[in-house]
C-alpha cells in the first residue's frame, strides 16, 4: 500500500490540491503497478510563518520571489 505525505505552504485552492492528489495517485499506479484502491495521499498544509527556507521565514522568501517574477528581466532588454 503506497502512502505519500505531501507538505505544502497554505495558499492553494481545494481544486488544485484535489488535482495534485489525482496526479500523484496516477503516478504511483504507473510507476509501482499499484492498484489505485491501495494508494493513500495525505496533505499537510502549513502557514507561511511556520516554514523556513535557508534560515528565513518562507513568507518573506516567497514574497521576494513573487516580486522578482513580476519585474521585467533587465537582462532581456535590448535583445531582439
Amino acid at each position: 500500500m503506497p502512502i505519500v505525505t505531501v507538505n505544502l505552504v497554505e495558499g492553494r485552492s481545494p481544486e488544485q490540491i484535489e488535482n495534485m492528489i489525482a496526479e500523484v495517485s496516477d503516478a504511483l499506479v504507473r510507476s509501482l503497478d499499484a492498484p489505485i484502491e491501495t494508494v493513500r495521499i495525505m496533505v499537510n498544509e502549513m502557514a507561511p510563518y511556520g516554514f523556513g527556507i535557508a534560515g528565513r521565514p518562507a513568507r518573506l522568501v516567497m514574497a521576494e520571489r513573487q516580486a522578482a517574477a513580476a519585474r521585467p528581466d533587465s537582462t532581456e532588454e535590448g535583445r531582439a
Side-chain angles (χ1 to χ4, degrees):
M1 173 186 313
I3 302 172
V4 173
T5 302
V6 178
N7 297 306
L8 298 171
V9 175
E10 291 173 344
R12 290 161 181 90
S13 70
E15 293 79 15
Q16 288 175 306
I17 293 172
E18 291 167 2
N19 185 56
M20 181 272 304
I21 290 170
E23 294 288 334
V24 170
S25 297
D26 289 345
L28 291 168
V29 168
R30 284 191 313 273
S31 62
L32 300 178
D33 197 26
I36 190 70
E37 297 80 18
T38 66
V39 174
R40 306 291 186 264
I41 308 293
M42 294 179 286
V43 179
N44 298 316
E45 289 187 278
M46 301 170 283
Y49 59 81
F51 182 70
I53 300 170
R56 300 179 62 222
R59 66 180 182 80
L60 297 177
V61 175
M62 294 166 61
E64 290 168 358
R65 289 179 182 171
Q66 288 176 342
R71 285 193 303 265
D73 189 352
S74 60
T75 60
E76 294 296 318
E77 290 178 9
R79 291 189 184 173

